[in-house]
Amino acid sequence: MSFFRSKQMRYYSLVIPRESAWVVMNELARLDQLHFVDYDPQLPMISRPFANYVKRCDDSIFKLSCLEQLLKEFKKDLIYCENVDSLLDYFHQVQYDRMKPGHTYFDELEQEIDQKKIQIQEQSANLQNLLDRVNIITEQKLVLENAKEILGQSVFQQQTPHNVNDYQQLKFGQIIGVIDKEEEVRFKRIIFRVTKGNAWVQIKDLNNEQIDNSMRKSFHLNQNNASQPRCLFVIVYPGAEESSSFRMKLMKVCDSFNRQRIEYPNSMDEMQKKMIELSQQLQEAKNLIEMTKQQLEKSLDGLVLQKQGCNCSYFEYMRLYVLKEKYLYVNLNYLTMRGSIFTGYFWLPEGMELVVEEKLRNAMKNNRDHYPTGQIQEMKPYPYTPPTYFNLNEVTMPFQEIVNTYGVPRYQEVNPGLFTIITFPFLFGVMFADIAHGFMLFLCGIYLIFWRNSLQKQTDSMFNQMIPFRYLIILMGFFALYNGFIYNDYLSISLNLFGSCYSPENEEWKRESKDCVYPFGVDPVWQASGSSLNFMNSYKMKLSVILGVIHMLFGILMKGVNTLFFKNYLDFYCEFIPQLLFMICTFGWMDFIIIVKWLNTYENNTDPSIIETMINQVLKPFDEPANPVFPNDPQFQLRVTQILTLIAVICIPWMLLPKPLILGSRHDNNKVSMSDSQYQPLVMEKQVSEQDEDNNQQFQSDLQNAANLRSFTEQGKEEHDSGEIWVHQMIETIEFVLGGISNTASYLRLWALSLAHGQLAEVFYDMCLAGKLDAGGVLGGLLGGYFYIVFALLTFGVLMTMDVMECFLHALRLHWVEFQNKFYKADGYLFNGYSYKKILNDNLKQANSK
Amino acid sequence: MDLCVFGVDDGYAEAIIRGLRASFLTEAQYQQMKNCASIPELKSFLEETDYQNCLQADNPQIPTSILRQRLKKKLADEFEYIEAQSTGTLTKYLFHLRCRFMIDNVVNMIEGLKNKIDIEILLSNIDPLGWFPEIKNIKVLEGDDYSSLYRDVLIDTPIGVYFMKFLEESIENLHENRTLNDIQNLFREMKPEYIRTSLKKMWLEDFYLFCEQELMPTSQEALLELLKFEADFKTIQVIYNSIGNRDLNTAAKIITTRKQLCPTIGNLYPDCEKMYLQAMTLDALREAVKGCDNYRDLLKDAPDPLKREEFNVQTKTLDDIMYDDECRRYALAFDGQGSYGVFYSYLKLKEQEIRNIIWLAEMISRKLAKNHPGWKKIIIPFSHLGK
């Protein structure tokens, strides 16, 4: 029954001595059944006892993510863990083999991660430095070569002028260097301003990033685009003296651009020498790079390696272990520390107590130092409501998810998720009714179910995202197929599967025999009759109202079940019963006459209009119906409708009045004894704190304050109550009565969407296929092929994706609004089990999707 | 009218700013920060807040200067993002806002170079909000030759205009037959602080003009009000600081200097100008500004500048009082809808927050007792709104 109602929960307190806290928490996390309650939600995380552990874990995770970056850069593929259970067992095994207290393993790992990170980062920094060095050397070479081209030979052959005034023989100096490409214009301008135009500046692109990348490629490294484009500059200025102020100033400007300046050799020979020197340096640097790279790869390989018995890379192993450790400490932080004892509270599903105690005993046994382990004790859960816990499996999960998206069920109330499993795909099917389309959806579901394992590996596949919803999809497909058979609709064509009861004869349809009925679904002859749309519309419309009323009545019944379960007899008698009666007497009756009308034959245009009958029933309560639904018994019909209308009208004040009146009188009675009840919570809170034997004054006064506050607000609430109850009840009543009409109308979407679906399918069929395939010859074949492709694409794009989505959304709405508003409170909160498995699984997904 | 079309261009940028409102530290968080016992503890606390990402890579024993740099970097990044998302007038406006930081940076660089501090250190200390590519070229500065600095480097920069005006004004003030020597002397004696104040004054006036001419009425309304107060505060500060200043020995010199440094906008100008220019004591200053707004109340608690030597950490200085009042105004302006005042206020309030954090970090690193009055000297943005 744990899916019909959420599991019964018990509230326990847990007491663990400090020494064994880690062991106990480690054991309990394997159980997946505890929901820890934060002892003091106001307390900031940072001032909790294990905040620094959490912090350390975070640091380690950060370091690991740095390493991961490097691993990716060097294209090392990690082996990711696929089975969390076996990994957890492996963790356990490692702990067991260590023969040391469990929590110290994290210290070791932390140190190891730290070392690895420092070591590897150092190596990669070295590599980067060397690469930069190589870059600089190649750049120098390039600059020199280019400068030689620009300046030419004549620079070396300048003579000291004999005559200072002889401009022909003026000597020129030059500055050569590298700047960032984006600063090119600025550089030129500043030089111009500083020299007042008396210098010649030449700038040329170096294309250094290409060189950089090609060099990285030659070492099989990833290309990075971080290197900015640079260019070389050559400034030629008058006056060659080394120490002229002009030169000094230019140098200062060039230096302020933060890139290198290169000495230009004085003669051709020196130039040659310099080039050779540079080539040598380059070679040396390249050798060094090769060596560094090998070292780095070796250390990285150590991380990728799979340890014996473990199902993933060592890196992944460390990452998951640290995550697990962090999770443990975060949860341990929910407990409070008193001296050397931790106290905390948790929720546990009923009947699990023994298992937890067993675990605790186990922890004691496995505990090397045989410290006493924790103890649990059941507590009164007041004033907290327990969490809502369902034991879900892969089939029920998506349906519960549909319900939870609207709101998590209140603790122990009827869970709409159970009914949703069938009603949701069914209502979807009513709207998406088509044999072919339904079958395609069904096939899609089958594909997802049977090829699940191989699909799971294709992370980029669209189907991968749909895997969790595979059972939902297959059911949706199945019901669409089923309803398609009922409507007898195959891509807008009716199938004559069982042989129609009518056959054409002299331009008229002749019925085979009086008793002949098409065995399943609608007789295909309707499609040929010309009035098929009229017939189908009326049929689908009535069907959807019938389904809707049944659905809603079921919802109201669930309300009854809820009120009985919670022993809320006031609601049972003053809300549930009038609501049920109202619904049955109005729309239930309508459904009934629809069916009666189907069963009877009417002669001479006396067939009754259902809407008219319903309206007259209220407007002319004493007139006999002109076209009675019961052909022979109008008197009987009148009497029944009179009674039903009377009941329905009585139900409205019944819903509105008694509940607030009774609550009001109860309130008056309570006023006398209120002084007692007011102090009730206070005393209980005190007991709780006394049990902890803690005389912390602050804590006591806080509790006192909280309790006072609560009783104060309760008092305030009581005063407002009677007015509020009236307003509330009025809203409820109006909502229900009006909702009865509007919700019933809302179910007409079942008809409308299936009509839209059918019409779309028909349009596509008529426009693309019908008639187009008749043309013969090669051209006809080609055209037929072409139109078929158009048809297939349209069918897929519009019907199989958009219409599925649309029908899904409308089915969702029918459940959330029309069905669930009849009984569903949806103000619970989810059970959040303390489980390694969950946290690791969550983090596995991330690693895979990256 | 402009409220209808505000969102067309600037809605996104405003939305981001509104979202960033959540990143302000709350009063409770400040309380926790005060309880931190050491710098690593403070850092790990900040990592729980919005500042997480900018601090994660640092060593726990982070020096205050680097901490400040990191916090500012975060603010600058946010601002850069918003600037990149803005169009038209808003882009111009945001750029104008940044000019204030550029002025600070340039003056800091000049000051540093004068004191022969290594250029690398200076560059690493510049405020990222006021970064511009020419800043590293300030290195070219030789001696006190500001005019050649302007000619070679600053002419191209956004703050070149202010610098030019500043140079022109300084030279004009010299007597008629000036020589090159006189100008050099003038520059040599000029204090960087003086340059900063004059440049900022020009910036403020220019910004005011910009707001008046280019912005939509709603933005104008909010911003001009803020800028007026800012100008007034600046004026009061100048007067206040020049009271009893020994460098300005004659009364005439004080008045001319004051005249140069006081903005020619604001509520005090020109009505009270004569009064405040001649105020030589705190009481006279109080008297001069009494006609405007709540300035008199503000100055009531200000300590007497003539007793400057007696100030210590505990003294609530004029700056503190001003910051407090400004903070209130910015918080109010931040909540205004459909105006550019939001961006201005955000910047100012974040600056205040960074100042607070740095102040607390200083207090923590000095290990002052928890009952030291200095702990109370932080101004929490948005704390005024609740009262």
Side-chain angles (χ1 to χ4, degrees):
Chain A
M1 278 303 261
S2 82
F3 196 48
F4 182 58
R5 292 185 194 286
S6 64
K7 274 193 184 171
Q8 290 250 353
M9 302 304 268
R10 292 289 170 82
Y11 196 57
Y12 291 92
S13 81
L14 173 70
V15 179
I16 345 174
R18 191 189 163 89
E19 298 79 31
S20 53
W22 190 89
V23 183
V24 170
M25 291 301 275
N26 197 33
E27 284 289 329
L28 292 179
R30 293 298 299 271
L31 205 56
D32 308 351
Q33 298 286 346
L34 278 77
H35 175 114
F36 275 97
V37 178
D38 199 349
Y39 190 86
D40 179 7
Q42 304 297 319
L43 195 69
M45 278 299 163
I46 193 155
S47 34
R48 296 192 181 213
F50 285 97
N52 62 330
Y53 276 91
V54 177
K55 180 93 185 58
R56 275 166 58 191
C57 294
D58 274 337
D59 283 347
S60 293
I61 291 170
F62 178 72
K63 281 170 192 159
L64 284 172
S65 74
C66 293
L67 284 179
E68 200 175 3
Q69 212 93 45
L70 275 174
L71 284 170
K72 226 170 256 171
E73 211 169 288
F74 286 87
K75 294 182 186 138
K76 298 283 176 204
D77 289 327
L78 290 176
I79 305 161
Y80 289 113
C81 169
E82 272 167 10
N83 188 346
V84 172
D85 275 328
S86 65
L87 184 68
L88 281 173
D89 288 340
Y90 181 67
F91 285 157
H92 197 256
Q93 190 59 40
V94 169
Q95 290 283 8
Y96 192 78
D97 294 345
R98 276 180 69 246
M99 315 283 281
K100 277 185 213 162
H103 61 270
T104 52
Y105 187 51
F106 171 66
D107 300 342
E108 284 174 23
L109 266 188
E110 191 189 22
Q111 268 186 11
E112 196 178 335
I113 290 169
D114 211 24
Q115 276 174 6
K116 282 240 154 81
K117 189 212 162 200
I118 292 173
Q119 182 199 348
I120 288 177
Q121 273 193 338
E122 204 171 280
Q123 284 171 347
S124 89
N126 271 343
L127 188 65
Q128 193 55 46
N129 279 343
L130 284 170
L131 281 172
D132 286 348
R133 200 176 130 70
V134 169
N135 263 344
I136 289 175
I137 295 172
T138 28
E139 219 168 72
Q140 275 183 358
K141 260 176 88 177
L142 265 177
V143 168
L144 284 179
E145 274 165 20
N146 278 305
K148 200 168 81 182
E149 251 170 59
I150 293 168
L151 291 172
Q153 291 284 334
S154 59
V155 182
F156 302 124
Q157 290 151 9
Q158 288 184 50
Q159 302 285 317
T160 326
H162 303 298
N163 185 351
V164 186
N165 294 331
D166 187 355
Y167 288 103
Q168 293 269 310
Q169 286 185 326
L170 183 62
K171 203 170 174 183
F172 290 97
Q174 72 280 339
I175 300 175
I176 294 159
V178 182
I179 51 167
D180 287 344
K181 171 98 176 118
E182 57 179 12
E183 294 190 308
E184 182 184 334
V185 180
R186 230 159 45 70
F187 179 76
K188 269 187 176 171
R189 243 190 285 175
I190 286 197
I191 295 291
F192 182 85
R193 281 198 298 261
V194 168
T195 61
K196 303 190 176 60
N198 287 325
W200 179 74
V201 183
Q202 178 78 8
I203 286 181
K204 198 172 170 198
D205 286 356
L206 275 180
N207 289 333
N208 61 310
E209 67 266 49
Q210 278 174 21
I211 299 164
D212 189 14
N213 279 340
S214 68
M215 195 186 61
R216 282 174 159 269
K217 218 184 247 169
S218 68
F219 290 108
H220 305 283
L221 294 172
N222 267 6
Q223 303 187 357
N224 75 331
N225 298 321
S227 63
Q228 287 171 333
R230 265 174 249 144
C231 42
L232 91 124
F233 66 85
V234 176
I235 305 173
V236 179
Y237 59 93
E241 297 91 49
E242 279 297 308
S243 57
S244 72
S245 68
F246 200 63
R247 181 181 164 86
M248 294 313 282
K249 188 147 194 186
L250 275 177
M251 299 276 250
K252 223 171 177 180
V253 171
C254 297
D255 285 348
S256 75
F257 277 88
N258 285 350
R259 288 287 174 202
Q260 57 169 338
R261 209 155 36 75
I262 295 159
E263 286 296 325
Y264 194 67
N266 284 330
S267 69
M268 220 42 209
D269 290 345
E270 268 181 56
M271 179 91 171
Q272 223 101 52
K273 234 187 255 167
K274 182 121 192 183
M275 291 298 251
I276 293 169
E277 201 179 304
L278 285 175
S279 309
Q280 274 170 356
Q281 282 178 0
L282 197 65
Q283 199 50 49
E284 275 168 29
K286 279 185 176 169
N287 289 342
L288 270 174
I289 287 181
E290 198 57 51
M291 270 164 62
T292 324
K293 199 191 147 211
Q294 269 169 9
Q295 274 180 1
L296 183 58
E297 297 230 324
K298 213 165 138 193
S299 345
L300 287 178
D301 281 336
L303 289 177
V304 177
L305 206 70
Q306 204 169 352
K307 265 204 177 174
Q308 201 179 5
C310 177
N311 60 359
C312 59
S313 292
Y314 189 55
F315 175 82
E316 196 64 3
Y317 164 78
M318 289 197 291
R319 190 178 73 93
L320 292 174
Y321 189 84
V322 174
L323 275 171
K324 172 194 99 118
E325 204 70 2
K326 181 187 168 192
Y327 185 65
L328 186 145
Y329 285 121
V330 166
N331 273 283
L332 201 49
N333 268 339
Y334 288 155
L335 311 185
T336 179
M337 188 165 63
R338 302 261 171 76
S340 64
I341 283 176
F342 284 98
T343 317
Y345 300 109
F346 62 89
W347 294 102
L348 192 68
E350 195 174 29
M352 293 295 291
E353 189 174 359
L354 286 177
V355 184
V356 173
E357 274 173 355
E358 172 74 35
K359 274 273 174 194
L360 289 178
R361 268 198 299 279
N362 261 344
M364 174 106 127
K365 243 181 266 161
N366 295 341
N367 198 341
R368 220 158 293 284
D369 306 322
H370 297 287
Y371 288 120
T373 56
Q375 289 201 329
I376 59 172
Q377 187 180 15
E378 190 167 354
M379 309 274 294
K380 257 198 142 78
Y382 185 84
Y384 312 105
T385 42
T388 309
Y389 179 35
F390 298 112
N391 226 347
L392 295 176
N393 55 32
E394 304 225 303
V395 182
T396 49
M397 187 279 292
F399 297 100
Q400 190 60 42
E401 206 52 44
I402 284 174
V403 170
N404 284 354
T405 314
Y406 176 80
V408 177
R410 180 182 278 190
Y411 174 63
Q412 290 260 294
E413 86 169 317
V414 171
N415 177 20
L418 176 63
F419 322 121
T420 307
I421 295 177
I422 288 303
T423 54
F424 187 87
F426 180 74
L427 290 187
F428 171 85
V430 173
M431 290 184 270
F432 200 71
D434 189 305
I435 300 169
H437 297 149
F439 188 61
M440 283 195 263
L441 204 57
F442 187 67
L443 280 185
C444 175
I446 286 188
Y447 176 60
L448 285 171
I449 289 173
F450 289 101
W451 276 266
R452 180 183 143 217
N453 286 335
S454 64
L455 276 174
Q456 225 149 20
K457 284 179 191 127
Q458 308 167 15
T459 45
D460 49 347
S461 158
M462 184 184 76
F463 283 108
N464 192 340
Q465 318 279 314
M466 285 155 55
I467 289 175
F469 308 103
R470 56 194 187 279
Y471 293 106
L472 176 69
I473 289 172
I474 198 172
L475 276 173
M476 278 169 22
F478 172 76
F479 280 108
L481 178 69
Y482 171 78
N483 279 296
F485 274 114
I486 290 195
Y487 290 163
N488 203 349
D489 194 359
Y490 184 95
L491 300 173
S492 82
I493 310 165
S494 294
L495 297 181
N496 194 0
L497 288 178
F498 309 105
S500 172
C501 285
Y502 294 82
S503 50
E505 202 166 276
N506 305 333
E507 299 188 2
E508 273 201 18
W509 294 96
K510 186 169 174 289
R511 199 169 179 175
E512 304 272 308
S513 71
K514 191 112 172 99
D515 302 327
C516 176
V517 175
Y518 194 69
F520 188 82
V522 175
D523 195 317
V525 76
W526 278 107
Q527 203 183 21
S529 72
S531 61
S532 97
L533 199 59
N534 280 341
F535 167 73
M536 285 310 279
N537 274 351
S538 122
Y539 172 64
K540 284 178 181 174
M541 197 185 332
K542 284 166 183 165
L543 203 62
S544 47
V545 171
I546 292 173
L547 289 176
V549 172
I550 293 173
H551 201 204
M552 286 190 294
L553 278 175
F554 186 66
I556 297 174
L557 283 177
M558 284 309 112
K559 179 175 187 145
V561 174
N562 262 345
T563 51
L564 286 180
F565 182 81
F566 290 114
K567 304 207 165 51
N568 191 348
Y569 296 113
L570 183 66
D571 275 2
F572 182 78
Y573 290 115
C574 302
E575 275 190 355
F576 164 63
I577 292 201
Q579 281 180 356
L580 188 67
L581 282 178
F582 182 82
M583 208 44 149
I584 288 175
C585 293
T586 50
F587 295 102
W589 167 246
M590 187 172 84
D591 280 2
F592 179 68
I593 55 178
I594 286 172
I595 293 167
V596 170
K597 191 184 158 188
W598 275 343
L599 295 178
N600 282 311
T601 48
Y602 301 92
E603 276 143 24
N604 318 330
N605 286 339
T606 56
D607 45 335
S609 151
I610 301 283
I611 296 173
E612 215 171 286
T613 317
M614 288 301 291
I615 290 173
N616 285 344
Q617 181 179 324
V618 184
L619 293 184
K620 302 174 190 164
F622 304 109
D623 299 355
E624 268 189 26
N627 297 326
V629 181
F630 302 88
N632 309 317
D633 210 348
Q635 200 60 45
F636 166 73
Q637 188 185 340
L638 181 67
R639 239 174 298 134
V640 172
T641 52
Q642 277 170 343
I643 294 169
L644 290 180
T645 316
L646 189 67
I647 296 177
V649 170
I650 290 173
C651 280
I652 297 173
W654 187 359
M655 273 184 261
L656 177 64
L657 299 174
K659 191 180 169 190
L661 287 176
I662 293 172
L663 281 179
S665 70
R666 263 191 206 169
H667 174 230
D668 287 342
N669 291 340
N670 280 357
K671 247 183 190 166
V672 189
S673 57
M674 224 178 73
S675 48
D676 284 347
S677 66
Q678 196 180 336
Y679 292 107
Q680 208 66 37
L682 235 174
V683 175
M684 283 175 61
E685 292 283 355
K686 257 190 185 157
Q687 279 172 346
V688 170
S689 53
E690 272 166 13
Q691 269 177 350
D692 300 329
E693 289 174 5
D694 182 62
N695 290 330
N696 192 334
Q697 289 259 316
Q698 180 70 33
F699 184 67
Q700 285 279 357
S701 66
D702 275 357
L703 267 185
Q704 209 103 350
N705 283 342
N708 282 340
L709 202 68
R710 192 178 305 125
S711 63
F712 180 73
T713 47
E714 265 170 18
Q715 208 172 0
K717 217 164 86 189
E718 298 256 345
E719 275 161 24
H720 286 291
D721 251 354
S722 53
E724 239 168 56
I725 289 174
W726 275 105
V727 173
H728 184 73
Q729 194 61 24
M730 215 134 84
I731 293 171
E732 287 264 291
T733 310
I734 294 171
E735 195 180 295
F736 185 81
V737 175
L738 292 184
I741 300 165
S742 67
N743 289 351
T744 312
S746 193
Y747 275 95
L748 288 177
R749 71 187 68 233
L750 292 177
W751 154 58
L753 283 199
S754 110
L755 173 70
H757 181 92
Q759 291 298 302
L760 272 177
E762 197 174 330
V763 167
F764 294 152
Y765 174 76
D766 283 350
M767 303 303 269
C768 300
L769 287 189
K772 300 286 194 309
L773 297 180
D774 298 345
V778 179
L779 193 68
L782 286 176
L783 269 182
Y786 169 72
F787 280 114
Y788 174 72
I789 290 169
V790 174
F791 172 75
L793 284 179
L794 278 175
T795 303
F796 175 76
V798 178
L799 291 173
M800 290 309 292
T801 52
M802 276 157 59
D803 207 48
V804 167
M805 195 63 106
E806 199 181 349
C807 294
F808 184 92
L809 289 178
H810 280 278
L812 203 60
R813 184 218 140 97
L814 284 179
H815 280 84
W816 281 356
V817 181
E818 274 76 25
F819 176 55
Q820 291 179 4
N821 79 359
K822 298 288 181 293
F823 67 101
Y824 188 41
K825 295 278 191 288
D827 55 357
Y829 65 100
L830 273 183
F831 176 83
N832 182 12
Y834 170 56
S835 147
Y836 283 158
K837 215 169 144 180
K838 193 180 66 185
I839 185 85
L840 292 188
N841 267 326
D842 285 353
N843 281 288
L844 283 188
K845 270 178 216 155
Q846 277 179 10
N848 277 340
S849 63
K850 259 178 203 164
Chain B
M1 176 58 199
D2 58 322
L3 278 177
C4 306
V5 291
F6 180 82
V8 177
D9 286 335
D10 310 326
Y12 182 60
E14 196 203 2
I16 294 169
I17 284 276
R18 298 261 173 238
L20 286 171
R21 164 78 167 80
S23 70
F24 280 101
L25 298 178
T26 61
E27 244 161 300
Q29 282 173 316
Y30 277 111
Q31 207 53 47
Q32 285 169 26
M33 252 156 62
K34 285 180 194 169
N35 289 335
C36 290
S38 61
I39 292 289
E41 208 173 301
L42 180 74
K43 180 176 175 275
S44 67
F45 171 77
L46 285 174
E47 280 176 26
E48 304 268 304
T49 66
D50 204 40
Y51 290 107
Q52 182 187 23
N53 293 334
C54 59
L55 293 173
Q56 206 157 39
D58 281 305
N59 177 7
Q61 265 301 349
I62 186 168
T64 327
S65 60
I66 299 203
L67 179 65
R68 188 207 315 268
Q69 209 59 24
R70 294 281 182 276
L71 302 183
K72 287 227 160 159
K73 182 84 182 79
K74 177 172 176 286
L75 178 60
D77 286 346
E78 284 164 3
F79 210 71
E80 192 188 326
Y81 178 74
I82 292 165
E83 209 177 333
Q85 298 297 329
S86 63
T87 53
T89 326
L90 183 59
T91 316
K92 266 197 252 170
Y93 167 80
L94 293 177
F95 188 73
H96 250 284
L97 279 186
R98 281 215 340 232
C99 283
R100 182 161 63 91
F101 300 95
M102 293 183 190
I103 292 172
D104 271 333
N105 279 343
V106 168
V107 177
N108 285 344
M109 289 288 283
I110 292 174
E111 196 174 2
L113 284 173
K114 269 186 146 179
N115 296 336
K116 307 264 182 279
I117 296 171
D118 188 44
I119 182 99
E120 292 301 323
I121 299 173
L122 287 176
L123 280 176
S124 68
N125 272 336
I126 59 172
D127 188 338
L129 267 168
W131 188 87
F132 57 99
E134 283 88 354
I135 192 118
K136 55 190 181 204
N137 300 125
I138 292 182
K139 196 179 165 187
V140 184
L141 176 73
E142 277 170 10
D144 301 309
D145 196 359
Y146 297 135
S147 58
S148 79
L149 174 69
Y150 165 70
R151 207 177 49 227
D152 293 342
V153 180
L154 294 177
I155 189 165
D156 264 349
T157 62
I159 63 162
V161 195
Y162 308 125
F163 214 81
M164 184 183 72
K165 247 200 260 171
F166 165 70
L167 292 176
E168 274 172 6
E169 269 180 30
S170 331
I171 294 169
E172 262 171 36
N173 281 332
L174 284 179
H175 43 83
E176 270 303 299
N177 44 2
R178 52 189 176 239
T179 61
L180 206 62
N181 252 350
D182 284 337
I183 296 176
Q184 268 174 5
N185 275 339
L186 174 81
F187 286 144
R188 192 167 307 131
E189 280 165 19
M190 203 172 273
K191 283 188 173 170
E193 213 44 47
Y194 177 78
I195 306 178
R196 190 197 308 270
T197 319
S198 347
L199 287 178
K200 279 208 179 161
K201 170 206 151 193
M202 286 171 207
W203 168 79
L204 193 64
E205 285 169 358
D206 190 47
F207 188 44
Y208 187 84
L209 202 68
F210 170 83
C211 292
E212 210 169 32
Q213 286 170 347
E214 306 222 4
L215 298 191
M216 306 263 221
T218 321
S219 305
Q220 257 184 38
E221 197 184 315
L223 274 168
L224 295 189
E225 201 69 0
L226 286 181
L227 291 179
K228 270 182 194 163
F229 286 120
E230 202 162 300
D232 292 340
F233 286 159
K234 204 137 266 169
T235 308
I236 292 174
Q237 254 166 345
V238 166
I239 307 293
Y240 181 87
N241 288 333
S242 61
I243 292 173
N245 191 332
R246 285 195 203 93
D247 294 340
L248 308 165
N249 29 28
T250 65
K253 198 168 176 190
I254 288 186
I255 291 175
T256 43
T257 316
R258 280 177 176 179
K259 210 171 157 117
Q260 274 174 11
L261 293 181
C262 291
T264 54
I265 48 174
N267 295 326
L268 292 174
Y269 181 88
D271 303 351
C272 312
E273 197 193 6
K274 211 167 174 184
M275 295 267 283
Y276 66 66
L277 284 182
Q278 283 167 352
M280 292 300 160
T281 60
L282 185 58
D283 285 324
L285 179 59
R286 280 177 192 149
E287 193 59 27
V289 300
K290 72 174 176 185
C292 275
D293 210 60
N294 61 347
Y295 297 160
R296 196 186 155 85
D297 298 338
L298 286 178
L299 284 177
K300 201 169 66 192
D301 302 327
D304 197 332
L306 292 173
K307 297 174 193 152
R308 211 167 262 135
E309 283 74 22
E310 293 169 19
F311 289 6
N312 54 26
V313 210
Q314 309 177 20
T315 323
K316 198 168 180 189
T317 61
L318 181 70
D319 283 356
D320 293 326
I321 298 170
M322 296 264 176
Y323 281 144
D324 195 44
D325 197 54
E326 277 187 342
C327 210
R328 179 178 63 87
R329 293 180 198 277
Y330 294 135
L332 280 175
F334 187 90
D335 288 346
Q337 287 287 319
S339 99
Y340 288 174
V342 190
F343 302 100
Y344 191 70
S345 308
Y346 178 74
L347 203 58
K348 285 281 189 179
L349 291 172
K350 269 286 170 186
E351 267 190 284
Q352 182 60 43
E353 186 175 286
I354 292 172
R355 256 198 307 267
N356 288 341
I357 295 173
I358 298 301
W359 176 263
L360 288 179
E362 288 286 345
M363 299 292 285
I364 290 167
S365 61
R366 283 184 200 169
K367 303 212 181 305
L368 292 175
K370 293 291 168 191
N371 53 2
H372 192 275
W375 290 101
K376 297 207 179 83
K377 267 183 88 170
I378 50 172
I379 303 147
I380 302 164
F382 298 106
S383 61
H384 303 277
L385 295 180
K387 286 167 196 163

